[in-house]
Amino acid sequence: MQDVQSDVMSFRGSHYDLGIKAAQWIEQTNILKNREKEWKKRKPRFNVDVDETYHVFQMYAPQIWEEIKGMETVLELPMEQMVLNFANYRFAPQKESGCTVFLGDDYMVRNYDYHPATYDGRYLLFQPNDGGLAQIGPTSRITGRMDGMNESGLSMGYNFMHRKNPGDGFVCYMIGRLILECCKDVDEAIRFLKELPHRSSFSYIVMDRQLNHAIIEASPRAIDVRYDKTCTNHYKLLTHENRNYTKESKERLHRLLKQTSSDLSKQDAFKIFNDPEYEIYSKQFRSWSGTIHTAMYEPQQLVAWLGLGEKQTPARFDFHAWLNGEELSQETITGIIDTPITFANV
């Protein structure tokens, strides 16, 4: 067992200034050093094209490019290195991973399952003044989000499907950020995902303030939408896109369906996801599919919860109050995970 910690940060201002603050935080960590080690172990299987990436961001989210420019000001790295590490466009996924989502009557709960060495250890509340919607949630590769909620109440999480035949496009955690940055409800998220270029194959699960919900199955070749309340790691509509091995995903979905119902309380749902006893939480960290956090979002109340590791009492964030000017009192989230593998910032 290992004690783990995520820093809680909040920022109100421009994307450029957020980039400066993020880079100052990075300089106090080993994130860049650990990233360099990863690139030495595995060469990128894609091209870094600064001009191409710039034009794509100008089309979909020019303010995030300004965030990257703010980071560049502090880190003083060549723009090729900034694009490689933080633009998250045309990036090849590394290994298989998990993730499980359940949509209750008025909440979304999900487990983020991946490799601890890729985890930022940073939980961010951001209220921009230069365009884009305010967001709350854990960050991924600094500029991305693996799940979160925005000021309109739209909540988002994604689940890995497969890494076959990647295309030119954004990776999952930047797509997650773009959904929260640009979309106010489920219909907007569906239209937006149909426009975006996708690098790999994921399902994006969304719920909005009106409690509409959808699971958008997306690959570089096709997109389809279903309206179930559960999602693991196989497609139900784009079945021809599924990887060959889906047995574990289907078994986990079966366990999830047996233990959840439309009247399941938030407290019970969080426990089912966060306690290994219920066999939704995973400890397969070395296989890139261990549960790092359990997140819950309440779109109508604008409240977010996060439990780091297993058997946690989740930290509660009143996003509505913060948007109205109330400052945070919590500076860190702590927890326990059953692996010696450390976070990227350690």
Side-chain angles (χ1 to χ4, degrees):
M1 288 291 187
Q2 172 193 180
D3 293 331
V4 290
Q5 176 177 303
S6 181
D7 294 330
V8 177
M9 303 172 64
S10 63
F11 187 77
R12 308 178 199 272
S14 71
H15 284 76
Y16 182 87
D17 289 340
L18 173 65
I20 288 175
K21 183 175 181 181
Q24 290 170 343
W25 178 80
I26 289 171
E27 288 188 317
Q28 300 172 28
T29 74
N30 278 333
I31 280 181
L32 282 178
K33 186 184 295 184
N34 289 334
R35 190 71 55 83
E36 288 172 6
K37 290 180 182 177
E38 286 299 310
W39 289 132
K40 288 178 181 178
K41 287 191 290 186
R42 53 177 188 84
K43 297 296 182 183
R45 292 180 293 172
F46 58 91
N47 296 323
V48 174
D49 189 317
V50 174
D51 290 338
E52 177 185 348
T53 307
Y54 168 80
H55 288 300
V56 170
F57 271 97
Q58 297 313 299
M59 183 180 301
Y60 294 106
Q63 61 271 23
I64 296 179
W65 186 262
E66 291 302 307
E67 186 176 324
I68 295 169
K69 292 290 288 183
M71 295 170 65
E72 180 194 25
T73 300
V74 175
L75 299 177
E76 297 181 339
L77 293 174
M79 202 59 196
E80 289 80 4
Q81 289 295 314
M82 297 300 297
V83 168
L84 175 66
N85 287 303
F86 305 115
N88 301 320
Y89 183 75
R90 299 183 68 184
F91 188 102
Q94 303 170 75
K95 301 282 185 177
E96 280 73 8
S97 61
C99 298
T100 308
V101 175
F102 172 70
L103 299 165
D105 280 350
D106 60 352
Y107 64 90
M108 170 192 290
V109 61
R110 65 103 53 152
N111 277 356
Y112 176 67
D113 299 353
Y114 205 39
H115 195 283
T118 68
Y119 197 74
D120 286 1
R122 187 175 70 130
Y123 193 86
L124 177 65
L125 291 76
F126 174 41
Q127 188 174 33
N129 62 10
D130 59 345
L133 297 166
Q135 310 139 42
I136 181 173
T139 67
S140 182
R141 273 63 162 203
I142 307 300
T143 54
R145 301 269 191 181
M146 70 280 282
D147 53 66
M149 179 171 62
N150 67 25
E151 63 183 275
S152 295
L154 184 66
S155 303
M156 176 284 307
Y158 59 68
N159 286 7
F160 170 78
M161 295 295 127
H162 71 75
R163 57 192 179 105
K164 301 183 295 184
N165 303 320
D168 291 350
F170 291 107
V171 295
C172 52
Y173 33 90
M174 181 52 75
I175 291 175
R177 166 74 182 279
L178 291 170
I179 292 170
L180 297 176
E181 186 97 8
C182 303
C183 304
K184 295 181 179 179
D185 57 33
V186 166
D187 287 342
E188 286 190 7
I190 292 170
R191 289 195 297 270
F192 189 65
L193 283 169
K194 288 181 177 179
E195 295 175 7
L196 279 182
H198 294 259
R199 171 67 183 178
S200 300
S201 299
F202 282 77
S203 286
Y204 297 88
I205 304 93
V206 289
M207 174 182 271
D208 63 26
R209 201 162 193 165
Q210 289 69 47
L211 304 181
N212 302 309
H213 62 85
I215 298 171
I216 302 112
E217 299 185 357
S219 83
R221 291 157 294 281
I223 289 182
D224 211 337
V225 183
R226 59 186 174 95
Y227 296 93
D228 293 344
K229 291 200 168 188
T230 54
C231 186
T232 51
N233 303 107
H234 60 280
Y235 290 131
K236 289 190 175 182
L237 299 178
L238 303 180
T239 53
H240 61 284
E241 288 272 6
N242 278 330
R243 48 184 158 169
N244 294 329
Y245 181 78
T246 60
K247 181 174 182 287
E248 189 280 330
S249 176
K250 291 177 179 178
E251 289 175 346
R252 183 161 24 99
L253 177 61
H254 179 69
R255 294 194 297 273
L256 179 64
L257 290 169
K258 283 180 62 177
Q259 298 177 98
T260 55
S261 62
S262 60
D263 60 350
L264 184 67
S265 72
K266 299 177 183 69
Q267 294 78 10
D268 287 343
F270 193 92
K271 183 176 181 180
I272 287 169
F273 271 65
N274 193 242
D275 189 333
E277 174 187 343
Y278 297 92
E279 298 185 273
I280 304 301
Y281 184 100
S282 170
K283 296 193 179 188
Q284 301 301 314
F285 295 102
R286 292 198 177 276
S287 298
W288 296 73
S289 57
T291 301
I292 300 175
H293 74 236
T294 302
M296 182 179 288
Y297 299 98
E298 299 181 60
Q300 291 186 320
Q301 304 301 320
L302 290 184
V303 170
W305 305 79
L306 191 90
L308 198 59
E310 63 181 86
K311 296 182 180 179
Q312 293 300 302
T313 300
R316 180 184 186 274
F317 297 91
D318 187 336
F319 190 42
H320 182 267
W322 184 81
L323 289 170
N324 288 327
E326 184 175 310
E327 295 303 332
L328 296 176
S329 59
Q330 188 162 354
E331 296 182 352
T332 59
I333 305 168
T334 59
I336 299 174
I337 60 174
D338 191 7
T339 177
I341 303 169
T342 58
F343 286 177
N345 63 334
V346 175

